[in-house]
Amino acid sequence: MADSIESMQAEGMTFEPPAWVRDNAYLKTREEYDAMYKRSVEDPEGFWAEQADEYLFWHKKWDTVLNWEFDTPKVEWFKGGLTNVAYNCIDRHLTTWRRNKAAIIWESDEGRTKMYTYQALYYKVCKLANVLKKHGIKKGDRVVIYLPMIPELAVAMLACARIGAIHSIVFAGFSAAAMRDRIQDCGAKMIITADEGIRGGRVVPLKAEADSALYECPTVETCLVVSRARARVDMEPGRDFWYHEEVRSADISRHCEIEWMDSEDPLFILYTSGSTGKPKGVLHTTAGYLLYSAMTFKYDFDYHDEDVFWCTADIGWVTGHSYVVYGPLCVGATSLMFEGVPNYPHPGRFWEVIEKHGVNQFYTAPTAIRAIMKSGDDWPKKFDLSTLRVLGTVGEPINPEAWMWYFNVIGKGKIPIVDTYWQTETGGHLITNQPGWTPMKPGSATFPFFGIRPVVLNEDQSETPVNSGGRLCIDFPWPGMLRGTWGDAENTLVKNTYFSQFPGKYFTGDGARVDQDGYYWLLGRVDDVINVSGHRMGTAEVESALVSQPLVAEAAVVGFPHDIKGEGIYAYVILKSGVEVPKSVESILAGHVREQIGPIAKPDHIQIVPELPKTRSGKIMRRILRKIAAGERDMDTFGDITTLADPSIVKVIVDGAPKL
Ligand code: 7RM
């Protein structure tokens, strides 16, 4: 990406947090952070026990604060304690002034608003929880939720939590095939979907997608359908029920008993891409996850009771779980939930919504910032952004040009930007600056959150020297970390994926370096995971979608630098010999990937090749494919290719690549 002169300078610059933000912040000085951080790592059990007491309601106190070993691995926080996530996110606020505070402000795609107070949310959640029970859902059962960004999505999560059911949300942009795989993997008994989603003025036929998935999902007994678009859809008698009819049924009470859960009972499963072909069902449990999402929410966005917080992420991703729903509601915040997209009906939509609802904290992804930047500085100028106090980013490293634009044009040079680094597996922020005290360096996520002990290692396990890149690991458990993956009681997958490269440590899969001031700089994934518009995509996953198409013999997929998306998807495909190749083969293959996974996985570029650059032992040399995808055409830059079974193939692929 071409960076302007201004942003080139930004690289070496430090920006102090503005005094007006600092003066009112929870943490105002480096000393305050240092003291709290020191305590959190020197006496983690004492520290976290204190926090768990402060942030969560306990029906019964825990027996032990922490049991852990990183070999199996096995991690338990607050074991023996009884609590409930829905109780913490709703009920306990009802006995305070927050009863009539807005819990959720919903902004629809067309610009309508709905508001739910904590009291109103309580009734909605209880009624749905009773409906779930009526349909036989019990503690431990899995419920797959396939909904657009409508209030019923948050209600469904909390209703599951209230009765101890485990939710697994499938992003509404995923295809029927992707949903089917997830339903089958977790053995869901119920799914909750909508007739249609509406995004950017376009219809997403959710129920139709669900129907074709359910055809192959015998474990699903019930399908609840929210009427979002008042569309007429097929309803299978005995299986499909309208959500609004069910919750209004005469036998459904507005109150529902709480199911008290052990701290380590599962709360949700969320599927995420890794370097293997199949997405993993990351498992988060009750108390530790909630505590960690709540605390990171409060400190990292400096949320105060009168604020309106807006995280633009879809709840189908972990960012939406932790920072649209659980973190905010746990501390009694007002969370804005947005159904739409940044550029509909105009490229000023984000700023319009900020003005309309008086948003104080705004949290989005670098890819969205880059996309909006393109439409110029006039759009943000049309709207009153003066309520903003904290800006945030998440999903990928932010490039200095986007950082400077966000800082100057949106923040008018006086609002801190928190760069929050974390993962689906970590439950909440791992490394981030905090608004009131951290001097910012554009592009650096800065320092670890309380209790996080990062180390950057060389492949031989030694620690890297200052400013030298290595692999980012975490040395010690934290309450929000994943406990396992669904269906793997022995935790073998977790062990192999996160705990084997660096024994005794959690390996993030990311590269990082620490500079002379102790700032962490994230350098991107070091495995075969690419980051497309802030969304994780396994190259192996796209490859297996491609080879499931009858024309395809073999496929190799790599990422390449993309102006807006961060990374784009480039697929090299070998077609089967002897088949008749249609003229539009590339678009057929792209369409197939879209069907198998969803629009986000559609390759930006597909190149048909006669062979792939393989070593004599058959290993694909991805390094070469990445260079070609990035636009490299000079044969001298590919390094040593003599170990390839057929070195001449490199030239053939270069010649077949698009002209620059
Ligand atoms: C929250 C989320 C995780 C991967 C992670 C990184 C990358 C996320 C940042 C970042 C640099 C950031 N969960 N990543 N945030 N890289 N700076 N602030 O995105 O599971 O979907 O993705 O995203 O590579 O490993 S995720």
Side-chain angles (χ1 to χ4, degrees):
M1 181 167 312
D3 280 328
S4 65
I5 297 197
E6 191 186 36
S7 59
M8 297 298 286
Q9 288 168 343
E11 291 234 35
M13 275 175 83
T14 302
F15 296 81
E16 289 300 321
W20 75 282
V21 174
R22 180 196 60 213
D23 289 348
N24 206 22
Y26 295 114
L27 295 173
K28 301 179 185 20
T29 63
R30 166 126 211 183
E31 289 65 44
E32 285 170 346
Y33 162 83
D34 280 345
M36 205 160 150
Y37 181 76
K38 192 162 177 276
R39 166 97 209 285
S40 76
V41 294
E42 285 177 358
D43 175 21
E45 298 197 16
F47 176 83
W48 286 114
E50 234 168 76
Q51 305 300 328
D53 248 334
E54 184 181 333
Y55 281 81
L56 303 185
F57 168 86
W58 294 93
H59 183 66
K60 171 188 169 283
K61 273 286 161 63
W62 55 85
D63 300 326
T64 43
V65 177
L66 172 62
N67 301 316
W68 74 288
E69 45 90 1
F70 272 0
D71 187 36
T72 311
K74 180 180 153 155
V75 172
E76 292 174 338
W77 284 94
F78 313 112
K79 186 73 184 157
L82 291 179
T83 184
N84 179 287
V85 167
Y87 186 91
N88 277 281
C89 288
I90 307 175
D91 300 48
R92 64 168 163 152
H93 303 312
L94 302 183
T95 52
T96 73
W97 66 271
R98 292 191 191 89
R99 178 160 77 102
N100 293 319
K101 176 177 174 177
I104 294 174
I105 300 177
W106 180 64
E107 170 78 15
S108 84
D109 192 57
E110 336 55 318
R112 280 186 296 128
T113 295
K114 283 188 187 175
M115 241 183 251
Y116 298 89
T117 62
Y118 277 92
Q119 182 70 70
L121 190 61
Y122 169 83
Y123 291 132
K124 282 193 67 107
V125 168
C126 285
K127 283 192 238 172
L128 181 61
N130 285 324
V131 170
L132 299 188
K133 287 210 274 193
K134 184 175 159 186
H135 286 277
I137 301 300
K138 297 180 306 294
K139 178 175 173 180
D141 286 344
R142 277 79 60 210
V143 175
V144 160
I145 305 176
Y146 186 62
L147 283 174
M149 283 288 281
I150 55 178
E152 287 79 0
L153 172 48
V155 171
M157 297 162 80
L158 292 158
C160 288
R162 190 166 193 95
I163 64 169
I166 305 167
H167 61 70
S168 182
I169 303 180
V170 175
F171 171 56
F174 279 128
S175 68
M179 184 185 3
R180 175 203 61 206
D181 293 348
R182 287 155 174 77
I183 294 172
Q184 287 177 350
D185 188 81
C186 73
K189 205 162 158 186
M190 177 189 267
I191 83 158
I192 306 178
T193 187
D195 52 352
E196 292 173 351
I198 299 174
R199 256 183 114 230
R202 281 205 286 256
V203 163
V204 189
L206 296 174
K207 178 62 165 64
E209 290 288 306
D211 282 341
S212 55
L214 288 184
Y215 191 64
E216 298 171 82
C217 298
T219 58
V220 175
E221 293 166 9
T222 313
C223 173
L224 283 184
V225 186
V226 178
S227 175
R228 163 63 185 93
R230 296 176 193 233
R232 226 184 282 211
V233 293
D234 292 337
M235 297 290 279
E236 166 108 7
R239 185 196 71 184
D240 301 351
F241 298 86
W242 288 106
Y243 179 108
H244 60 277
E245 288 176 3
E246 291 301 292
V247 295
R248 269 179 222 160
S249 156
D251 56 344
I252 293 301
S253 158
R254 303 148 82 211
H255 300 283
C256 172
E257 282 285 299
I258 285 280
E259 181 81 41
W260 296 110
M261 306 288 283
D262 187 277
S263 300
E264 285 299 340
D265 280 335
L267 174 64
F268 67 83
I269 303 164
L270 183 57
Y271 287 85
T272 192
S273 299
S275 37
T276 51
K278 244 177 91 206
K280 296 183 282 282
V282 167
L283 183 72
H284 282 289
T285 57
T286 297
Y289 168 81
L290 187 64
L291 173 63
Y292 198 73
S293 60
M295 259 186 90
T296 49
F297 170 73
K298 179 175 144 181
Y299 282 108
D300 300 339
F301 301 113
D302 195 48
Y303 182 85
H304 291 254
D305 243 327
E306 57 281 11
D307 293 337
V308 174
F309 175 83
W310 181 17
C311 164
T312 68
D314 193 289
I315 294 176
W317 308 102
V318 74
T319 306
H321 281 63
S322 298
Y323 301 111
V324 178
V325 181
Y326 290 124
L329 298 187
C330 186
V331 305
T334 298
S335 177
L336 189 128
M337 184 174 173
F338 177 52
E339 186 183 32
V341 296
N343 57 359
Y344 176 86
H346 55 72
R349 185 68 193 276
F350 275 178
W351 325 123
E352 184 179 44
V353 172
I354 290 172
E355 174 181 298
K356 179 174 173 188
H357 298 289
V359 170
N360 303 96
Q361 288 93 350
F362 176 69
Y363 187 35
T364 195
T367 183
I369 299 168
R370 287 192 298 265
I372 306 171
M373 256 167 83
K374 290 229 155 158
S375 50
D377 300 1
D378 288 342
W379 281 105
K381 286 196 185 122
K382 287 191 214 291
F383 301 97
D384 178 3
L385 305 180
S386 64
T387 51
L388 287 173
R389 198 175 78 245
V390 179
L391 299 172
T393 81
V394 58
E396 56 178 309
I398 182 163
N399 52 303
E401 190 181 27
W403 197 96
M404 287 311 295
W405 187 85
Y406 202 24
F407 188 69
N408 286 325
V409 179
I410 304 308
K412 317 269 184 327
K414 54 181 182 110
I415 301 179
I417 299 174
V418 290
D419 182 346
T420 63
Y421 163 75
W422 60 296
Q423 311 176 301
T424 306
E425 295 87 342
T426 70
H429 306 153
L430 280 185
I431 299 179
T432 177
N433 52 312
Q434 292 174 328
W437 70 270
T438 322
M440 295 168 276
K441 297 190 187 187
S444 167
T446 78
F447 302 114
F449 190 75
F450 307 125
I452 301 300
R453 291 176 15 187
V455 277
V456 180
L457 301 176
N458 293 310
E459 272 176 84
D460 66 4
Q461 326 272 328
S462 60
E463 270 195 54
T464 54
V466 165
N467 270 321
S468 128
R471 274 133 218 259
L472 179 65
C473 298
I474 313 292
D475 224 349
F476 194 83
W478 64 99
M481 73 185 296
L482 84 164
R483 300 299 194 265
T485 54
W486 185 257
D488 183 15
E490 308 296 309
N491 251 357
T492 335
L493 182 60
V494 167
K495 184 182 170 78
N496 293 339
T497 315
Y498 308 99
F499 292 90
S500 59
Q501 282 98 322
F502 301 94
K505 296 181 175 60
Y506 170 85
F507 172 44
T508 59
D510 285 298
R513 72 180 164 87
V514 183
D515 74 11
Q516 61 287 353
D517 303 319
Y519 279 62
Y520 284 81
W521 296 79
L522 276 301
L523 303 172
R525 301 285 307 195
V526 295
D527 52 9
D528 290 322
V529 171
I530 55 182
N531 193 320
V532 185
S533 301
H535 299 316
R536 247 164 91 165
M537 189 47 59
T539 52
E541 212 178 322
V542 183
E543 285 163 7
S544 62
L546 281 165
V547 297
S548 72
Q549 211 286 340
L551 290 167
V552 177
E554 252 184 277
V557 168
V558 297
F560 69 96
H562 187 288
D563 263 5
I564 304 283
K565 300 182 186 181
E567 277 185 287
I569 303 178
Y570 196 120
Y572 299 87
V573 172
I574 307 178
L575 297 174
K576 281 193 188 138
S577 54
V579 296
E580 201 177 318
V581 179
K583 246 174 84 191
S584 53
V585 61
E586 287 89 354
S587 67
I588 291 173
L589 298 185
H592 181 76
V593 173
R594 193 192 164 100
E595 241 170 61
Q596 290 299 308
I597 307 175
I600 52 164
K602 204 179 122 198
D604 297 272
H605 195 81
I606 295 180
Q607 182 179 352
I608 306 296
V609 294
E611 191 41 81
L612 290 163
K614 286 182 194 150
T615 61
R616 265 167 242 128
S617 58
K619 225 171 162 320
I620 298 171
M621 241 191 229
R622 285 172 189 274
R623 165 175 72 80
I624 294 169
L625 296 178
R626 278 191 211 108
K627 280 199 155 177
I628 299 171
E632 190 56 73
R633 297 291 178 267
D634 180 354
M635 284 301 293
D636 296 336
T637 61
F638 293 109
D640 183 15
I641 56 170
T642 54
T643 55
L644 289 177
D646 173 14
S648 72
I649 190 64
V650 178
K651 174 104 179 31
V652 176
I653 298 177
V654 167
D655 290 344
K659 301 279 164 290
L660 298 168

